[in-house]
Amino acid sequence: MANQWYAIKAKGEKAAEINIYGDIGESWWNDESITAKKFVQDIAALGVETLTVRINSYGGSVSDGIAIYNALKRHKARVTIAVDGVAVSIASLITMAGDSVEMAENALMMIHAPWSWTEGNANDMRKAADVLDTFAAAMATSYANKTGKSQDEVMSWLTDGEDHWFTAAEAQAENLIDTVVDALPIAAQFNLNRFKTIPAAAGIFNKPPKQESTMPKPGENAPAATVNPPAAPAPAPAAQSPEDIKAQALAEDVQRRGDIRARFKPFAKMAGVDEIMNQCLDDHKISPQAAADKLMAKLGEGIEPSAGGFVSRIENGESDHEKFAKGVGQAIMARCGVEKHDPQNEYRRHRLEDIAKASLELSGRNIKGMDRIQLVKSALSMRPAAYGQTTSDLPVLLENVMHKMVLTAYDITPDTWTRFCKQGTVSDFREWLRLRTGSIGDIEDVNEAGEYKNMTIPDAAKEGIQAKRRGGIIKITPEIIINDDIGFISDITTMMGRAAKRTIENRVYALLASNPALKDGVALFHETHKNLAGTGAGPSVAALSAGKSAMMKQKDLSDKEFLDIRPAIWLGSIDDAEEVRVLIDAKYDPDASNKLERPNKIRGMVRDVVDTPRIDGNEWYLFADPAVAPVIEVAFLDGQSEPVLAMEEDFSTAGLSYRVEHPSAIGAIGFEGAYKNAGA
């Protein structure tokens, strides 16, 4: 999996900062890339009012960049974009998403046409060109909206095939940014070797004196020869005194030193720059241009040239990697019994070992001379640090298939907690408080000469809920691949998915049975909370009616207002549930003596009857709709309500470990919306 090269940090209660320092989209030169899908999910979850996005990126995938741009534009927060270093190619488009945009004075921005590669016949090439033109038109809209220019004006940046570089001052002049801020040392650390042309905007490195040519321009005639004799040579200048020569040399050196300082100023905060500048200042033989060359060499230290130029990945249809991943995934799922066999799938009879070999070959690995064990180990160790992992690599193929199987098993495993518990979200593992407030009472009358009185705002009661890490590990060894043990993969992933679902179910009922104390020091169900029947009784018209009455009479924390909570769910044992269904469906009171046709006063009292073998005693419960008066909450970390897989190489087995993660929090957050009867 690619490294995540953006970071989101909280900046106070209602503010956050995002650093985009890496290539946008899939990794073209290394692992340092920003995946649009994950980025969009992360910022959509930010409930902040102000958002600062810092950019130092060479660009990357056009489609991913457009998705990130749109995600920032639709976020409710006020977005400030800060270009710390470089905002190049599609990264410059993301910059346009800011409500305000600032740029370090030594930073650079570059805009150019999207480009790609393709293969095929002339018709394929024309189609690819049309797709690039479509992307250019879409990008032009964003640049036009920011700069106030017409779309035709900005299209010249995206269609002439040139790299258009801008300093901060030039970008501001074009209305691409709003503000130029002080120079940052990070801005000096850009790699000019990545580009096909040295940016003209980096003219601080090369500013030759402008000279007028005496040669005729193309199409012009050479100046006619004069018929007059040449003028007499000017008289030789008078000899300068030593004082004049010294003064002139001093003035030239002052000018030289000033020019050198000017060229080094934007990079003064970068380590080692001051030392080089002082060396250049002290050596009168070093010209400003020579000093700039030394600075250029310093900035390029430790940076190797990257092959090729800028790539904005745009593909027509499915690539070979995608077709392979899709076919293999479907074949494995079919062999596991999750999907139907597709007779047209060329991989339907492939063993796991065959898939490992094909995955290596598709990625360009040299497998000549490998035995079976070496081949499988090599396929299982296809890591992004070495080659740049793709969807067709064996570890990713297995991860995708196993994740689908875990989710399938999770989804089809029944549960009951979702019918009476509130579902929430938390963003970390600390305790999160849930507040219940009182009311301010009735609004008082005001007579003709009277004054309005201040209303007392009641304190809120707090209940806590805290997420716990939960999960397990599935190990895939070379032996499993060689033995084609598809049954193991199917069984273990299915069991893990079911276990994830059952874990929450079991913990909810364990919490209910423990009758935990709330923060007021009183048990969840207690006579103090007026939600516990004084005498146990089995389900009956009278007992259910008493529970309904108790819930409706609950008051708020201020003890001023009736909450008028009505039961919506009955919960209890399997045996009692059958009796309750009869009771609430009966038209006439089944408990009435002498079989009188007395109307059933609890008919339709609840909308749902929940029975479970996890309650094997006589107790039964009434719950309000969890959206009205929640009692138990199940919260998931970052809203991830389904289990996820994480992958890592297993050194001890020469295989892979897939960790199934499903962190959640389960806790009691209120008492007014529930009623318990211990039963008979």
Side-chain angles (χ1 to χ4, degrees), residues 5-57:
W5 271 77
Y6 67 92
I8 300 178
K9 298 181 290 186
K11 294 290 184 180
E13 184 178 353
K14 297 183 179 180
E17 180 178 278
I18 302 175
N19 292 337
I20 298 180
Y21 279 22
D23 293 334
I24 308 298
E26 295 187 12
S27 302
W28 296 105
W29 297 279
N30 48 43
D31 325 338
E32 303 171 8
S33 64
I34 298 161
T35 303
K37 181 179 178 181
K38 184 67 167 64
F39 182 95
V40 171
Q41 291 173 344
D42 286 347
I43 71 164
L46 291 176
V48 297
E49 295 180 359
T50 58
L51 186 60
T52 300
V53 181
R54 297 193 170 278
I55 294 179
N56 185 26
S57 171

Side-chain angles (χ1 to χ4, degrees), residues 162-184:
E162 299 296 327
D163 294 342
H164 297 276
W165 291 88
F166 303 91
T167 62
E170 291 166 345
Q172 187 178 35
E174 295 287 355
N175 292 327
L176 291 165
I177 67 169
D178 303 306
T179 308
V180 178
V181 298
D182 291 341
L184 298 173

Side-chain angles (χ1 to χ4, degrees), residues 24 42 105 114 140 163 168-169 174 190 235 241 277 438 444 446 463 479 486 493 584 625 627 657 668-669 678:
I24 308 298
D42 286 347
E105 65 176 343
D163 294 342
E174 295 287 355
F190 38 74
S241 66
M277 183 183 71
E444 297 184 11
V446 179
E463 300 298 338
E479 289 76 13
I486 202 75
T493 52
I584 64 173
D625 187 317
S657 291
I669 61 172

Side-chain angles (χ1 to χ4, degrees), residues 5 78 99 115 126 175 181 191 193 237 245 260 263 279 336 374 411 427 504 507 509 524 528 541 564 625 642:
W5 271 77
R78 174 174 175 77
D99 296 308
W115 66 281
R126 293 187 186 96
N175 292 327
V181 298
N191 180 5
N193 290 318
I245 295 174
I260 291 175
R263 299 188 184 201
Q279 291 173 357
C336 292
Q374 290 174 325
D411 290 340
S427 59
I504 297 177
R507 290 181 181 275
Y509 283 102
L524 171 60
T528 302
V541 172
D564 197 19
D625 187 317
E642 296 176 327

